[in-house]
Amino acid sequence: MKCRVNNKYGEVLIDTDVIARYAGSIVVESFGIVGMAGISMKDGLVRLLKKDSLTHGINVTIEDNKIQLDFHVIVVYGVSISAVADNLIESVKYRVEKFTGAEVSKINIYVQGVRVID
């Protein structure tokens, strides 16, 4: 599914992979986030994804031309999860709306694990 943005010059279609990659770059540079989480369907284990796998651990859904984002993340041990989530939601919503020109209706954050950083 694609996001449609109309302007005075015509219509722009934005693929969900583009939105996921952009949103993923915002997430991995956010305070308190170690990285995106990948869940193995075979054994149910959670693993930290590499920085080049920005679209994994993110689900983008478009309904009524509004964007919904689901993030599966691993947070830094010792930080306030609610503060990290609030900051992440505010940052992602603002930047994705500015980037796409479409409204972000919902952001879900699933904390899949906690890691100690050296």
Side-chain angles (χ1 to χ4, degrees):
M1 184 155 239
K2 298 183 188 303
C3 178
R4 295 178 185 276
V5 179
N6 293 309
N7 60 29
K8 63 183 179 181
Y9 302 113
E11 183 176 65
V12 178
L13 298 174
I14 305 170
D15 193 84
T16 55
D17 282 347
V18 173
I19 297 169
R21 186 172 306 280
Y22 183 72
S25 70
I26 298 167
V27 171
V28 295
E29 63 188 33
S30 296
F31 172 77
I33 301 292
V34 175
M36 302 306 294
I39 303 169
S40 172
M41 293 299 165
K42 186 172 95 179
D43 53 18
L45 294 176
V46 175
R47 61 187 171 85
L48 180 64
L49 297 172
K50 296 182 171 141
K51 299 254 189 227
D52 57 347
S53 304
L54 288 178
T55 58
H56 299 289
I58 301 174
N59 295 325
V60 179
T61 310
I62 311 287
E63 279 186 29
D64 299 327
N65 213 36
K66 294 181 182 174
I67 302 168
Q68 178 178 328
L69 298 162
D70 297 331
F71 298 105
H72 297 269
V73 298
I74 297 174
V75 297
V76 175
Y77 176 80
V79 298
S80 167
I81 292 174
S82 64
V84 169
D86 289 345
N87 180 47
L88 186 60
I89 289 168
E90 186 177 316
S91 179
V92 168
K93 181 173 174 39
Y94 173 76
R95 290 175 63 185
V96 169
E97 285 181 344
K98 189 170 172 122
F99 177 69
T100 62
E103 180 184 343
V104 174
S105 63
K106 191 175 198 180
I107 297 175
N108 298 310
I109 299 174
Y110 301 96
V111 178
Q112 302 296 154
V114 177
R115 291 270 170 103
V116 177
I117 300 182
D118 298 335

